[in-house]
Amino acid sequence: RLLASFYVACDETTVQVLKENGRKAETKSWMWVRSTPAEEKKIVLFDYSVSRGSEVAKELFADYRGFIQSDGLASYHCLESESTIRIGCNMHGRRRFEQAAKDGAKSGKDLASVGMNYYQKIYALEEDIKDKPPDERKKIRDEMVKPIFEEMKSWSESHRQKEIGRA
């Protein structure tokens, strides 16, 4: 069912395995998590691997056609094709602004608060459309969310030389 979904989200996280043949307990292992957040009957699958490499991504998505949402990890690049489209996840970007808002120097906090305001606008729109069908959500995102991202990109490029979190 997961491979038949039009949209799958994927991420991976470290796990520690204390007793594994041929590997020290301190060695990183990975739990790959795939889910279908848009489906009425959601699926969440956990796959263990000693690798975070593209060979794992290829195996997990060998027969998949549709949209894969992931972070910017290069291991996902191999999945891109005419029938498999990778879409990004902006959580890492938001986290940087959130951290700078808490820990940054005065100038960094000011910039971070502007960045967080962009995300708050986007999240508010997403909350409003969460129960709409996928095609309608896409239309609204193109009309309302995309301009916010474009404005945010322009704003961030105008502040490129400033390091958030530094005085």
Side-chain angles (χ1 to χ4, degrees), residues 36-96:
T36 58
E39 299 291 330
E40 187 174 325
K41 291 184 177 182
K42 295 174 181 21
I43 299 169
V44 179
L45 299 177
F46 297 87
D47 294 280
Y48 169 80
S49 178
V50 297
S51 171
R52 192 182 185 199
S54 59
E55 68 280 354
V56 180
K58 285 178 190 175
E59 182 181 324
L60 293 177
F61 290 98
D63 297 320
Y64 183 72
R65 305 292 178 261
F67 295 91
I68 298 174
Q69 183 176 31
S70 67
D71 59 21
L73 182 67
S75 297
Y76 293 107
H77 293 328
C78 67
L79 302 176
E80 296 173 18
S81 70
E82 285 185 23
S83 59
T84 304
I85 299 167
R86 198 166 132 232
I87 56 177
C89 171
N90 209 354
M91 186 58 73
H92 294 288
R94 187 198 58 78
R95 280 188 204 140
R96 302 270 191 222

Side-chain angles (χ1 to χ4, degrees), residues 4 22 27 29 32 44 46 67 83 104 124 126-127 133 146:
T27 306
S29 297
W32 291 68
V44 179
F46 297 87
F67 295 91
S83 59
E126 288 293 327
E127 182 64 26
K146 186 177 179 183

Side-chain angles (χ1 to χ4, degrees), residues 73-136:
L73 182 67
S75 297
Y76 293 107
H77 293 328
C78 67
L79 302 176
E80 296 173 18
S81 70
E82 285 185 23
S83 59
T84 304
I85 299 167
R86 198 166 132 232
I87 56 177
C89 171
N90 209 354
M91 186 58 73
H92 294 288
R94 187 198 58 78
R95 280 188 204 140
R96 302 270 191 222
F97 286 110
E98 186 177 51
Q99 194 64 44
K102 282 192 252 179
D103 300 337
K106 177 72 174 130
S107 63
K109 289 182 181 186
D110 291 345
L111 288 172
S113 67
V114 174
M116 288 304 292
N117 284 337
Y118 283 113
Y119 282 108
Q120 288 167 355
K121 288 178 191 176
I122 293 164
Y123 286 4
L125 285 168
E126 288 293 327
E127 182 64 26
D128 289 345
I129 66 173
K130 70 180 181 184
D131 294 326
K132 296 189 181 301
D135 56 336
E136 195 173 334

Side-chain angles (χ1 to χ4, degrees), residues 10-27:
C10 189
D11 201 5
E12 66 298 321
T13 189
T14 57
V15 301
Q16 184 177 20
V17 179
L18 297 178
K19 291 185 179 184
E20 189 172 17
N21 288 338
R23 302 184 82 215
K24 295 180 182 178
E26 302 82 28
T27 306

